[in-house]
Each structure stands twice: as structure tokens, then as C-alpha cells.
Amino acid sequence: MKQRIELEAACELVADKLKSFSNETVKLVNSSGRVLAEDVRAPMHQPPFDRSPLDGFAVRAEDTTGASTETPVSLKIVSKLYAGDSPVKKIGPGEAARIMTGAPIPEGADSVIRQERTDWNDEEVEIKATLKPGQNYAPAGEDIKQGELLCEKGTLLRSPHLGVLASMGLEEVLVLPEPEVSVLTTGSELQEVGQELKPGKIYNSNNYMISTRLKECGAKVINSQVAVDEKDILRDRLAELIPGSDFLVTTGGVSVGEKDLILEVLEEMGAEIFFWKLAIKPGTPVVCGRLDDTIIFGLSGNPAACITTFDLLVRPTLIKINGLEKENLRKEKAIFIDDFNKSSSTRRMLRAWVVRTEKGNIVKLSKGNQRPGVLKTTLDCNCFIDIPAGSPPVESGAEVEIFRLPEIYN
Ligand SMILES: Nc1nc2c(c(=O)[nH]1)N[C@H]1C(S)=C(S)[C@@H](COP(=O)(O)OP(=O)(O)OC[C@H]3O[C@@H](n4cnc5c(N)ncnc54)[C@H](O)[C@@H]3O)O[C@H]1N2
Ligand code: MOO
């Protein structure tokens, strides 16, 4: 088992251990937020037939030559077409069809006159304008041509894509897999929200934070449980959650205390442990391993440490599978406009807020202090400042590297 490894090495190690995931066919109606696994080409024209963009009369343009308000041309109405009708009767010379917006233009007609430029009764229509062939005429494929590339592999599906794909009659799409994750929050001090707090206890905030964060980066939370710090109980919960989960995220019990039992129990259960501890702060204590096909991320119970390692380690792993790059971290540079007066012997991830300006990114520390048990700073955190090990205090004006969180946290 490796110990205290670098974050980048940890991410690579986990990536190397991932099982293969299969793409999934999902109903179009359920595909929003998923990433396309293949190019989609148009199986048909849209519109599928030549149609009228107006309520009026379908005519042959040549029959309207010279027509104006003063010199109207009279045509015989031979049919009437509503949207949804299928045209049967061809238009011949001197003939017109009454037509509504969206209805198919009958054979023989090459243009449509809006009804405001006509007078009509049941038999005849007076045309008061000269039309050009193709005027007010929406040909088949005007919008989308059969065979054209509609959505590329890797597209994040949202409402416009669902609309376009539905217009093609596509009922299902092939998307990248959605990792299925279980969550186990551990700690004998934990109480559920809604209960009166007993002495020495705290509310289980990690469960809410982690389950929600998982969904925010496109994972499916399939189970979520809580366990006290007792070996038997932990073993039972782990044995229950691991089969059937692609990943298990636990929080708490991964440091060196007498009740930090996750590593021990996982080892007893025969898990392969990839590493224990990362060379970052907060978030040093992390256990990562695999039992059967399930990758286990044992994160710290300290909320800020927990969220930091979630974002830096768990998030990129899940996004490797579901392709939701938009939800990944971005490495950028920024100018620090705050003061951090501690030197850092260990690599530090400071919770911070970055703003884009014309001159580039500026970043300041999140409100509140940077201790790993502090939860409030996460409210004001859209990035982590990456302070290398061995750095002196960081002064205002210094250029720093940041991991920017996705837009959702802005
Ligand atoms: N002697 C040492 N003590 C500690 C070390 C060390 O190296 N030597 N490491 C410290 C560091 S760094 C961290 S971080 C913590 C990590 O401890 P664990 O990950 O084992 O987490 P717990 O001890 O279970 O809990 C830590 C803290 O977080 C609270 N907590 C736990 N679960 C939740 C939850 N679901 N929701 C909200 N808060 C939670 C818990 O009550 C503790 O206060 O260890 C240091 N100790
Ligand atoms: O590594 Mo602990 O996570 O400092 O907070």
C-alpha cells in the first residue's frame, strides 16, 4: 500500500484501476444532462414535406403575373388543406388551394399568398399581388437535411438537442455511462437532520453535501447509509453497499484515531488498497482501494477536507466515465489579492473565490478560516488555490495556480 502520495499520482492510479464501462441506450426523454456516445445524423428531412409558412392560398406563381390590388387575378379554389392533412389534389393552371400554416403544399403549386392579400369565397379567390416561384414556400429539408450531422459524439444533451432529436423521431440515444455510486457516512457522533441534537453529537452534513455533489457531477447515487464507528457495523454496511455499486464514497474514520476503522475493515474484507493519505492539506487522510469491481474512496470526515478531496480526486474520476467535462475542474492562473500569512510545508489547497476580469483572474480567500473542519467556507468557494509544498506566505499580487470549479458553484 502506497502512503502519502501526490494528488496527480493518485488520480492516475485510480484511472488505471477503473473497470470498463459500457455506453448506455436511454430514452430521449431521460437523456438531458448525458453525453452522446456517437455522432447522430439526420435520418430524415425536417420539415419532411414542402409546407406552407402562412395561412393563405397555394398557387402557381405564373398565374399571378400582373396581379395587384387594382388588377386582381381570380383563381378557382379546388381544395382545402389544414396542418396534418395529406395533399391529394394537384393544382392546375388557374387553380388555387386554401392552405393553413404547416399544411403540405400540393403538387403543382410553387408559392403561397398570405390571405391578407386576397379576397375569397367558397369557390374563388382574388389574388392581389404578383408572386415569384418559391415565395412563401418552405421546402422539405429547409431546416434539417437528411444525412446531415446533427449532434457530435461528446455533446452534452440539453433541451435544444432533445428538441432537434425528437423532430427526427428518435426515441432513444446512445450515451456515455452514468457511474452508480453509494455513499456511506460514518461516525458515532452523527445524527440525522430533523432530530433534536444530543450532547456530543453533530448533524450529518457530509451525507447531504456529498450525495448532492455526486449528482452535480453527473453520478447516480443509488444508496446512502450511515454507520457508527464499530467494526462489525462498518463491515456489514460495506458488504451491503459494495456489490452493485461502481463506486463507494465513505466519509470519516480514515485518520489515525482509535475509531478510525475504515482502512482496517477494508483490508480485513480483502480489498486491494491503492493508497492511504494524500500529500495535500486539507484532505491528507484518504483511503482508496477496490473490492471486487467497486472502487472505494474513503474521504475524511472533516467537511472541508472531504469536499476538497472529492473535487480533486473523485470528481475527475467520475467525469472520465460520464464525459461531463463541463463539470470538471479547470487549471488556471490567477492573481492573489488577499494575504495568506502562513508558510506551507505541505501542498495546500486553499478554498477561494475567483473572478474573471479584463486583466485576467483575480482570487481571494473564501470568507471564514481555512481549517479542515470548517464548513462555511464552502459557501464562498468556486476554486482551490494550489499552494506548492515548501511555499512561503503568499502575498497580495502573487500569481497562483487555481483549480476552478464548474459554473454551477458561481
Ligand atoms: N493524531 C492525529 N490526529 C489527526 C490527524 C493526524 O495525522 N494525527 N489527522 C487529522 C486530519 S488532517 C484530519 S482531516 C482528521 C481526519 O479524520 P477522519 O477523516 O478520520 O474523520 P473523523 O475523525 O471521522 O472526523 C473528523 C471530523 O469531521 C466530523 N465529521 C465526521 N463525519 C461527519 C459528517 N458526516 N458530517 C459532518 N461532520 C462530520 C467529525 O465529527 C470530526 O469532527 O483527523 C485529524 N486527526
Ligand atoms: O488533512 Mo486534514 O484533512 O488537514 O484536514
Side-chain angles (χ1 to χ4, degrees):
M1 174 179 67
K2 296 188 171 161
Q3 284 200 34
R4 219 186 152 73
I5 66 171
E6 288 297 331
L7 172 67
E8 289 72 13
C11 289
E12 276 175 32
L13 225 173
V14 177
D16 284 348
K17 301 284 186 177
L18 288 179
K19 65 177 180 185
S20 67
F21 285 79
S22 305
N23 294 333
E24 201 186 333
T25 300
V26 293
K27 293 271 183 224
L28 186 62
V29 69
N30 299 325
S31 68
S32 172
R34 302 292 295 269
V35 174
L36 260 188
E38 61 182 4
D39 289 348
V40 177
R41 291 188 173 274
M44 56 177 263
H45 281 338
Q46 172 58 23
F49 48 85
D50 300 350
R51 70 182 178 188
S52 174
L54 294 172
D55 298 312
F57 292 86
V59 298
R60 292 155 25 102
E62 64 188 88
D63 289 350
T64 68
T65 307
S68 69
T69 320
E70 293 76 32
T71 57
V73 169
S74 184
L75 300 175
K76 187 175 172 219
I77 301 173
V78 293
S79 58
K80 193 182 248 190
L81 290 155
Y82 297 111
D85 285 350
S86 132
V88 279
K89 198 159 180 9
K90 191 175 167 181
I91 300 292
E95 293 179 346
R98 176 79 171 118
I99 197 162
M100 310 301 157
T101 306
I105 295 179
E107 213 187 317
D110 60 7
S111 49
V112 173
I113 184 159
R114 62 171 65 239
Q115 67 186 49
E116 292 88 335
R117 309 296 302 275
T118 67
D119 277 323
W120 75 98
N121 58 32
D122 285 349
E123 279 91 42
E124 281 187 344
V125 54
E126 281 201 332
I127 308 287
K128 297 180 181 173
T130 302
L131 295 176
K132 294 193 197 84
Q135 198 170 337
N136 302 330
Y137 189 109
E142 179 194 49
D143 178 0
I144 294 166
K145 295 243 174 332
Q146 184 174 16
E148 118 181 34
L149 181 60
L150 283 180
C151 297
E152 276 181 57
K153 177 179 176 175
T155 302
L156 170 60
L157 297 175
R158 292 294 186 205
S159 53
H161 311 101
L162 267 65
V164 165
L165 297 173
S167 80
M168 297 285 103
L170 296 170
E171 196 191 3
E172 293 177 329
V173 278
L174 188 70
V175 292
L176 295 182
E178 182 180 46
E180 298 196 335
V181 189
S182 291
V183 177
L184 177 65
T185 40
T186 73
S188 301
E189 71 277 36
L190 301 179
Q191 260 190 237
E192 276 317 297
V193 297
Q195 299 173 353
E196 197 182 329
L197 206 56
K198 300 198 179 88
K201 306 287 183 188
I202 58 165
Y203 288 118
N204 183 355
S205 56
N206 283 349
N207 186 23
Y208 286 83
M209 184 172 65
I210 290 301
S211 298
T212 308
R213 214 138 172 116
L214 280 164
K215 290 177 202 155
E216 287 164 354
C217 58
K220 183 173 182 184
V221 177
I222 54 169
N223 205 338
S224 135
Q225 302 234 359
V226 189
V228 293
D229 299 314
E230 299 297 339
K231 273 175 87 172
D232 292 350
I233 305 278
L234 287 170
R235 194 181 297 110
D236 286 354
R237 290 287 176 281
L238 291 168
E240 184 187 337
L241 291 173
I242 288 173
S245 305
D246 297 323
F247 296 91
L248 171 67
V249 178
T250 69
T251 75
V254 286
S255 186
V256 293
E258 289 179 17
K259 289 287 184 179
D260 292 335
L261 301 166
I262 294 287
L263 176 58
E264 202 179 321
V265 173
L266 283 173
E267 279 180 326
E268 283 174 13
M269 291 172 79
E272 174 195 1
I273 304 297
F274 307 151
F275 63 87
W276 178 42
K277 295 190 181 171
L278 284 174
I280 57 168
K281 212 170 165 44
T284 311
V286 177
V287 175
C288 186
R290 177 171 66 184
L291 186 57
D292 302 325
D293 261 353
T294 306
I295 301 270
I296 300 137
F297 293 106
L299 308 183
S300 168
N302 262 331
C306 173
I307 210 155
T308 305
T309 44
F310 179 91
D311 281 336
L312 295 169
L313 178 66
V314 182
R315 176 186 292 275
T317 304
L318 298 173
I319 288 170
K320 271 202 161 59
I321 296 157
N322 66 18
L324 272 179
E325 274 308 322
K326 204 177 138 286
E327 304 308 329
N328 216 344
L329 302 178
R330 308 239 175 288
K331 230 176 166 181
E332 295 178 10
K333 294 208 187 305
I335 300 300
F336 187 60
I337 54 157
D338 214 327
D339 274 313
F340 185 68
N341 59 15
K342 286 185 190 151
S343 17
S344 308
S345 53
T346 306
R347 182 180 181 186
R348 240 177 227 276
M349 295 291 166
L350 298 174
R351 299 181 291 290
W353 189 264
V354 62
V355 177
R356 284 195 179 99
T357 73
E358 278 177 9
K359 291 184 180 160
N361 289 327
I362 53 170
V363 65
K364 57 180 183 169
L365 297 174
S366 306
K367 291 184 206 94
N369 78 51
Q370 292 283 335
R371 280 200 283 271
V374 168
L375 192 51
K376 203 173 69 182
T377 41
T378 57
L379 292 174
D380 181 39
C381 173
N382 68 354
C383 72
F384 299 102
I385 305 177
D386 185 357
I387 308 288
S391 295
V394 193
E395 285 172 13
S396 186
E399 189 182 63
V400 289
E401 289 224 312
I402 60 165
F403 287 99
R404 184 193 279 275
L405 286 165
E407 285 304 313
I408 183 177
Y409 304 112
N410 272 312

